[in-house]
Amino acid sequence: MLRLVLVKVFYLQPVADNNTEEKKTSVGDDESKRWRKGRGAAHKVEERAQVCYGYILEGGTRHQIAEKVSSRFNVSMRTAHDDYKRAMELLRQEQNGTREELLNQLQALRLATVQKALKRGHFQTVATLLGDMGRVIGEAAPEQLALQVPTLDIKIEGREETG
């Protein structure tokens, strides 16, 4: 038969004399003995979010981007999806900026995509992107199109019949 006995254990702490300083012997006592593996966790999270943001701008699905982040930083898919959420939050904050800045960024992305599509011979994609770029700068605004379209008015005057 096993019997458990409750025993109070007292740990004796070294007490420093008034003339001597207490020795720092453990990692808990002495911060200089701690090893932090470089930057802290917050820096690593921020770095992964920034890389994820770059992947978002390159294009791809959420899962593809999470896989890239997961393989690059050797983190779980859940962590990679969390980084994707942080990157999307950064993108939302950036979109709260001025409209001109966003339009310039979109135009730059469209130009890069046009160049890639031209290299691959995807001319329909190029035509679509160029049409989008024209609409952004107001080239194809409905008001301007209405002013540019010629009108043809035909009037037929009635004939008088004589009998």
Side-chain angles (χ1 to χ4, degrees):
M1 183 166 162
L2 182 66
R3 203 165 112 189
L4 297 174
V5 179
L6 181 63
V7 178
K8 290 186 179 179
V9 178
F10 295 98
Y11 291 102
L12 298 176
Q13 296 289 331
V15 179
D17 292 336
N18 291 339
N19 298 334
T20 61
E21 190 174 317
E22 184 179 330
K23 288 186 179 180
K24 296 179 180 180
T25 57
S26 69
V27 174
D29 294 336
D30 190 3
E31 287 190 27
S32 65
K33 293 184 179 179
R34 296 180 190 167
W35 183 58
R36 304 240 185 238
K37 292 186 180 180
R39 296 178 294 170
H43 292 286
K44 292 176 185 176
V45 169
E46 183 63 28
E47 180 184 5
R48 288 194 314 264
Q50 290 295 329
V51 168
C52 193
Y53 182 87
Y55 288 152
I56 289 171
L57 292 181
E58 288 176 8
T61 65
R62 177 186 180 120
H63 189 70
Q64 288 172 337
I65 293 169
E67 282 182 356
K68 285 181 184 179
V69 171
S70 176
S71 64
R72 178 171 175 178
F73 292 100
N74 197 22
V75 294
S76 69
M77 285 297 288
R78 180 178 172 105
T79 302
H81 280 287
D82 290 342
D83 294 334
Y84 183 88
K85 287 179 190 175
R86 284 185 193 87
M88 287 302 290
E89 184 60 34
L90 289 172
L91 187 61
R92 280 188 206 96
Q93 289 173 358
E94 186 174 300
Q95 286 179 354
N96 289 335
T98 61
R99 187 172 191 269
E100 293 89 22
E101 290 176 12
L102 291 175
L103 290 177
N104 288 336
Q105 289 176 359
L106 283 173
Q107 293 294 75
L109 286 172
R110 285 187 182 123
L111 284 172
T113 307
V114 164
Q115 290 173 350
K116 287 180 185 178
L118 278 174
K119 285 181 184 176
R120 295 180 181 149
H122 299 154
F123 300 116
Q124 184 63 40
T125 304
V126 172
T128 303
L129 288 170
L130 290 176
D132 291 344
M133 291 171 72
R135 273 187 239 106
V136 167
I137 62 172
E139 178 184 70
E143 299 84 20
Q144 291 182 353
L145 289 176
L147 294 175
Q148 293 175 356
V149 175
T151 58
L152 177 64
D153 293 329
I154 300 174
K155 294 183 182 178
I156 301 175
E157 294 181 13
R159 290 190 296 172
E160 292 183 24
E161 293 184 24
T162 55

